[in-house]
């Protein structure tokens, strides 16, 4: 699958999301650093540039929430199809609904 999100935009969005969660919890940077075990300078650098190690990022998510979603988002979800007919056939139990004339 091709993504239209660049690595730079992804880092920026992740940084903004973690910062928004921190602020939503009324935590200062120092408070989040203390709770997560991530050094304050590392957290400050992350909120400025988006750069952080994976381990530190996961520690932050353990405090502000979202680690489960990140793990789930990286799970392999490839569907196996034997032919194009498998792709095109409708799912069982789904019926097309039609509108009514009044």
């Amino acid at each position: 699958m091709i993504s239209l999100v660049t690595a730079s935009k992804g880092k920026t969005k992740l940084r903004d999301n973690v910062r928004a969660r921190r602020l939503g919890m009324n935590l200062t940077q120092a408070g989040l650093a203390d709770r997560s075990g991530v050094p304050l300078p590392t957290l400050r650098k992350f909120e400025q540039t988006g750069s952080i190690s994976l381990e530190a990022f996961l520690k932050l998510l353990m405090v502000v929430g979202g680690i489960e979603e990140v793990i789930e988002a990286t799970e392999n979800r490839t569907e196996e199809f034997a032919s194009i007919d498998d792709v095109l056939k409708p799912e069982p139990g789904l019926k097309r609904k039609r509108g009514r004339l009044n």
Side-chain angles (χ1 to χ4, degrees):
M1 182 166 95
I2 297 175
S3 176
L4 300 178
V5 178
T6 64
S8 177
K9 287 181 183 179
K11 280 185 0 176
T12 300
K13 188 65 177 161
L14 290 171
R15 174 196 72 193
D16 293 346
N17 291 347
V18 170
R19 183 173 187 270
R21 286 178 182 234
R22 174 180 66 79
L23 293 173
M25 295 174 70
N26 293 320
L27 279 175
T28 62
Q29 287 180 334
L32 179 55
D34 286 341
R35 287 187 184 189
S36 65
V38 173
L40 182 56
T42 301
L43 176 57
R44 285 186 176 148
K45 180 180 177 187
F46 172 62
E47 288 197 0
Q48 290 172 357
T49 67
S51 296
I52 195 167
S53 72
L54 177 59
E55 182 176 355
F57 179 67
L58 294 175
K59 285 179 179 180
L60 294 175
L61 291 182
M62 287 173 59
V63 175
V64 299
I67 192 167
E68 293 85 6
E69 291 88 349
V70 169
I71 292 169
E72 184 179 320
T74 59
E75 289 177 356
N76 187 8
R77 294 191 186 133
T78 59
E79 294 187 35
E80 301 279 334
F81 299 107
S83 69
I84 190 67
D85 293 329
D86 289 346
V87 176
L88 298 176
K89 72 179 175 185
E91 292 183 31
L94 293 180
K95 294 184 179 181
R96 188 172 182 178
K97 294 183 179 181
R98 299 179 188 268
R100 293 184 182 188
L101 294 175
N102 290 330

